[in-house]
Amino acid sequence: MWYDTRGQGDPLVALHPGGAGVDSRALAPTVAALARHFRVYTPEQRGHGHTPDVAGPITFELMAQDTITFIETVIGGPVHLLGCSDGAILALTVALRRPDLVRRLVFAAGVFHRDGWQHGVLDGDPPDFLRPGYGEVSPDGIGHYDVIVAKLDTMHAHEPSLTHDDLGKVACRTLVMVADDDEVRLEHAVDLYRSLPDAELSVVPGTSHGLLVEKPELCNMVITEFFTKDPVPTFAPIRRAASR
């Protein structure tokens, strides 16, 4: 896996959104802010960005294993984990499979089950601007672009398929972030928040699926506070009252 690093401090792994032609460049405003507090690692998944494709399918489970191996090999210990869109699904899968490697998790604009996407979001062809972006950095060359599109279409037709029982096993403190006009159904994000044992919810007003770049200052403030501060005592807990 190709990766870059920025900043100093405790390790934080940032997982980019999915799609052919999408890579860690999509997280640039978030990474720049987090690098003031953390050593930020931005690995790129198989078939994305600078990382070559491999024979066979692309799945969230395979990418999660790639990411687990990356954390074990390059970092060697538990990390804070941030994921956006497909990267959020991947981050949640890593936290579920290897809870010992994840300290805190930010899950931004993703789904735990494919039914959580708004109707029609996954239909049609990718935007035209993604093709040249893929060709700029992919070691497989622009001619491989349509192969990645097909692999990801197959993945999205069947995945993710995590259950509420799966969510109940996620051990780390988690921040669920979603836009108020997201490609993720708001009801699905609330369902995720309520199903995780230790979760907080942030609905970012006036944003879409690109919330991290549409309101970077607001999102970066919320994310940084979550990673750097402990939960505050609340005056009138309802959902969290049972944990006291």
Side-chain angles (χ1 to χ4, degrees):
M1 296 177 77
W2 181 95
Y3 69 96
D4 194 12
T5 60
R6 292 187 61 181
Q8 298 295 328
D10 290 339
L12 186 153
V13 175
L15 302 177
H16 59 77
V22 183
D23 52 60
S24 62
R25 291 174 291 183
L27 295 176
T30 309
V31 170
L34 292 174
R36 302 186 193 119
H37 306 273
F38 299 97
R39 180 70 167 173
V40 182
Y41 297 79
T42 53
E44 293 181 338
Q45 301 300 320
R46 56 176 68 190
H48 294 76
H50 301 77
T51 300
D53 190 21
V54 296
I58 296 176
T59 70
F60 286 112
E61 288 290 346
L62 287 171
M63 291 189 290
Q65 187 55 57
D66 291 343
T67 305
I68 288 167
T69 302
F70 171 82
I71 294 171
E72 290 179 322
T73 304
V74 176
I75 303 171
V79 302
H80 293 305
L81 199 54
L82 161 73
C84 181
S85 193
D86 276 7
I89 302 165
L90 177 55
L92 184 65
T93 306
V94 172
L96 183 61
R97 303 294 179 245
R98 287 295 302 275
D100 58 306
L101 293 180
V102 183
R103 296 171 62 185
R104 293 181 184 179
L105 167 64
V106 171
F107 182 100
V111 300
F112 67 89
H113 193 282
R114 60 187 179 277
D115 292 343
W117 296 113
Q118 297 277 9
H119 179 72
V121 162
L122 300 179
D123 297 343
D125 297 326
D128 291 339
F129 70 85
L130 292 179
R131 184 184 293 268
Y134 176 87
E136 287 172 5
V137 296
S138 173
D140 297 315
I142 197 167
H144 197 68
Y145 175 81
D146 291 325
V147 175
I148 298 299
V149 170
K151 286 187 177 187
L152 295 177
D153 282 349
T154 299
M155 179 183 77
H156 288 130
H158 302 282
E159 300 178 32
S161 57
L162 297 176
T163 67
H164 291 95
D165 286 342
D166 291 326
L167 299 180
K169 298 172 186 176
V170 176
C172 61
R173 182 179 168 214
T174 302
L175 172 63
V176 177
M177 295 186 73
V178 65
D180 64 351
D181 188 23
D182 211 309
E183 293 179 1
V184 177
R185 292 189 297 107
L186 187 58
E187 297 82 0
H188 182 84
V190 172
D191 187 18
L192 170 62
Y193 156 70
R194 288 174 171 163
S195 300
L196 293 167
D198 187 7
E200 300 168 29
L201 176 65
S202 174
V203 180
V204 183
T207 58
S208 73
H209 196 59
L211 69 168
L212 296 185
V213 296
E214 292 165 353
K215 288 195 174 179
E217 292 184 1
L218 176 58
C219 291
N220 292 339
M221 188 248 330
V222 172
I223 292 169
T224 300
E225 182 168 294
F226 175 78
F227 278 136
T228 59
K229 297 182 180 180
D230 291 332
V232 300
T234 54
F235 289 101
I238 302 297
R239 180 176 182 268
R240 297 183 181 91
S243 64
R244 288 192 165 185

